[in-house]
Amino acid sequence: MGAMLFDNVNVFDGRSEELLEGVSVLVRGNRIERIGRDVRPQAGTEVLHGEGRTLMPGLIDCHVHVCLGAEADPLAMVREPKGMVVIKAVNFLNRYVDAGFTSLRDMGGVEYFDVALKLAVSRGMIRGPRLFVSGKMISETGGHGDFYTPWGVSMDAGFSRIADGVWEVVKAVREQIRAGADWIKICTTGGVLSPADDPRHSQFSVEEIEAIVREAATKGRRVASHAQGLEGVRNAVRGGVASVEHGIFLDDEVIEEMKERGVYLVPTLSAPDAIIKHGTAGGIPDYGVRKAREVMEVHRKSFRRAYEAGVRIAMGTDAGTPFNFHGSNARELSLMVESGMKPVDALRAATSTAAELLGIADRTGTVEEGKLADLILVDGDPIRDVGILSDPSNVLLVMKEGEVLKNTLGAGD
Ligand SMILES: [Zn+2]
């Protein structure tokens, strides 16, 4: 088994308030073997001189769409050959690696290409972060995932499974699991980028949500809900979802319930932020820009309230939505900090807490002896300035399960 020693690094372990300064970290095979000040290389160990740079866990984004290209118009993809979705996604996965991401949870693929991409990464056929996928998102008729026009003409790009009523939503869950989904993604409110609905209106009844959660649980899967308006968030929480995605309109009562039930919030502040910055001038449909403007302030306030109340927050971006580019995801950390989060908590949200939500905290998300070597070497101190992570050129080395996927430092000695 090959061994590599990161000599003289400052470690952010994914949890602690402070960096562990001037240590060495030995990786053997796919695991972190030792961390300490007295770790010496044996013959044959490659030594990388960290020179006081920061070694930290590989970043984790809990809400991306690798099958979406961040184009201004989310339906632009239907004007290209379907296979372009996959070819673009392979490029996006490369960008994720270059930006320091070693795990991603995809929250809605296209035609199950997300499942194929996951397989290709896990078999070593393409370069990319470890993927957790959800297949098609499940939506009610006329809901956030329904891309039929009022005339009933389909604009569906294979992005969602429309289902109504307890038995049909159960079937929809079974279909996603048959196709290879690790997670079930549902929509319990309208959204910003769907033309015909309102983010404040709820979708699916509590009975439907409970049925989805129960069916998923029998197959060891958990459920994430696109939930923006208060009632739809409450329904999702009471229905038993593991994570609330976006969570734009929250009140103290639902925040308490999220805490009690251990429901994670994945805020995705990047999505409305990118839409507002580029606007209709960038070609985003006007309904999307209008709705994003309406929600941004209240979104930040809800995020801050949930954070201060102690809701577990995992980092997610909704990358793939308009101008929300794959590889620029760490921008979310800056947005969370601007909205009131302590920098170290933003870093935890993108490492240890994200790993807890994904159910992989026993293997990764922290720099600890015995954990998988998902590590990045960063120029600068991210606790002092999380903004440095937004620039992939500050991510000098990326290792996933002991394998070096990016290295701008050159070979060690
Ligand atoms: Zn999304």
Side-chain angles (χ1 to χ4, degrees):
M1 275 196 292
M4 184 180 267
L5 183 75
F6 293 93
D7 176 46
N8 185 23
V9 288
N10 298 332
V11 170
F12 169 63
D13 64 5
R15 284 205 190 97
S16 306
E17 297 275 334
E18 310 268 334
L19 297 179
L20 186 61
E21 293 190 357
V23 294
S24 295
V25 176
L26 178 66
V27 172
R28 188 180 305 278
N30 63 356
R31 294 194 182 266
I32 300 166
E33 188 173 274
R34 283 210 55 205
I35 304 167
R37 292 206 165 78
D38 56 349
V39 188
R40 300 273 169 269
Q42 298 162 341
T45 301
E46 188 180 348
V47 180
L48 263 165
H49 300 286
E51 294 172 351
R53 297 182 182 105
T54 307
L55 190 74
M56 60 177 284
L59 297 168
I60 303 172
D61 189 324
C62 297
H63 190 135
V64 303
H65 300 274
V66 294
C67 293
L68 301 186
E71 288 98 352
D73 180 356
L75 290 175
M77 71 165 100
V78 301
R79 291 188 281 275
E80 292 182 335
K82 219 177 237 185
M84 286 301 287
V85 171
V86 182
I87 292 165
K88 287 183 183 180
V90 169
N91 280 317
F92 299 149
L93 291 175
N94 275 309
R95 283 191 218 163
Y96 276 109
V97 171
D98 291 334
F101 285 82
T102 51
S103 297
L104 300 175
R105 186 178 65 160
D106 194 283
M107 289 273 72
V110 169
E111 297 289 13
Y112 303 118
F113 292 145
D114 54 332
V115 184
L117 289 158
K118 174 203 160 134
L119 277 183
V121 170
S122 68
R123 290 178 188 172
M125 298 163 74
I126 57 173
R127 183 172 172 262
R130 177 185 302 110
L131 287 170
F132 300 89
V133 298
S134 54
K136 297 185 182 186
M137 65 180 185
I138 304 173
S139 163
E140 66 176 34
T141 295
H144 181 57
D146 184 341
F147 293 95
Y148 284 75
T149 71
W151 285 23
V153 177
S154 176
M155 297 289 283
D156 176 36
F159 191 59
S160 53
R161 164 70 158 90
I162 297 166
D164 301 285
V166 165
W167 290 112
E168 204 183 342
V169 295
V170 165
K171 186 172 184 191
V173 170
R174 290 174 182 163
E175 284 173 8
Q176 303 322 301
I177 293 171
R178 176 179 67 189
D182 304 299
W183 279 82
I184 299 300
K185 168 76 181 299
I186 62 172
C187 308
T188 61
T189 68
V192 168
L193 283 172
S194 30
D197 61 11
D198 186 312
R200 285 163 294 203
H201 293 166
S202 65
Q203 300 177 359
F204 282 140
S205 64
V206 178
E207 291 71 30
E208 287 167 319
I209 299 166
E210 280 172 348
I212 289 167
V213 169
R214 203 179 315 119
E215 186 59 28
T218 61
K219 276 92 184 171
R221 265 61 163 203
R222 286 176 297 152
V223 179
S225 180
H226 162 101
Q228 302 189 335
L230 178 59
E231 192 188 342
V233 172
R234 197 189 294 129
N235 290 346
V237 170
R238 292 188 180 159
V241 304
S243 64
V244 164
E245 308 299 306
H246 320 301
I248 294 174
F249 299 92
L250 304 177
D251 69 1
D252 291 337
E253 194 193 347
V254 87
I255 284 172
E256 261 327 291
E257 276 191 64
M258 288 176 75
K259 264 175 67 181
E260 266 167 39
R261 293 168 181 259
V263 178
Y264 289 75
L265 174 64
V266 181
T268 74
L269 300 168
S270 301
D273 183 71
I275 292 170
I276 291 166
K277 275 199 182 118
H278 291 84
T280 46
I284 302 172
D286 52 358
Y287 60 81
V289 180
R290 178 179 50 77
K291 289 198 266 185
R293 284 217 181 92
E294 284 167 13
V295 301
M296 190 74 221
E297 260 326 289
V298 62
H299 195 178
R300 284 178 183 264
K301 277 189 195 132
S302 290
F303 163 77
R304 189 180 186 133
R305 268 161 102 176
Y307 168 61
E308 285 171 354
V311 172
R312 284 186 276 182
I313 292 173
M315 192 273 242
T317 56
D318 221 359
T321 53
F323 298 100
N324 192 353
F325 299 109
H326 299 288
S328 304
N329 311 54
R331 237 168 33 91
E332 180 78 15
L333 301 176
S334 300
L335 290 171
M336 290 196 290
V337 170
E338 282 166 27
S339 305
M341 194 178 225
K342 266 171 54 183
V344 71
D345 286 333
L347 294 171
R348 287 167 175 150
T351 55
S352 57
T353 313
E356 284 160 22
L357 169 58
L358 266 49
I360 53 174
D362 57 333
R363 286 171 279 157
T364 186
T366 54
V367 182
E368 281 178 280
E369 291 177 359
K371 287 275 176 86
L372 289 175
D374 288 353
L375 299 167
I376 61 176
L377 187 67
V378 177
D379 210 2
D381 176 357
I383 296 180
R384 215 171 262 170
D385 178 10
V386 295
I388 60 171
L389 294 170
S390 304
D391 180 356
S393 70
N394 289 326
V395 179
L396 307 173
L397 184 141
V398 178
M399 176 181 268
K400 188 183 81 174
E401 294 192 26
E403 188 188 350
V404 176
L405 297 183
K406 174 186 182 180
N407 181 4
T408 60
L409 293 174
D413 47 45

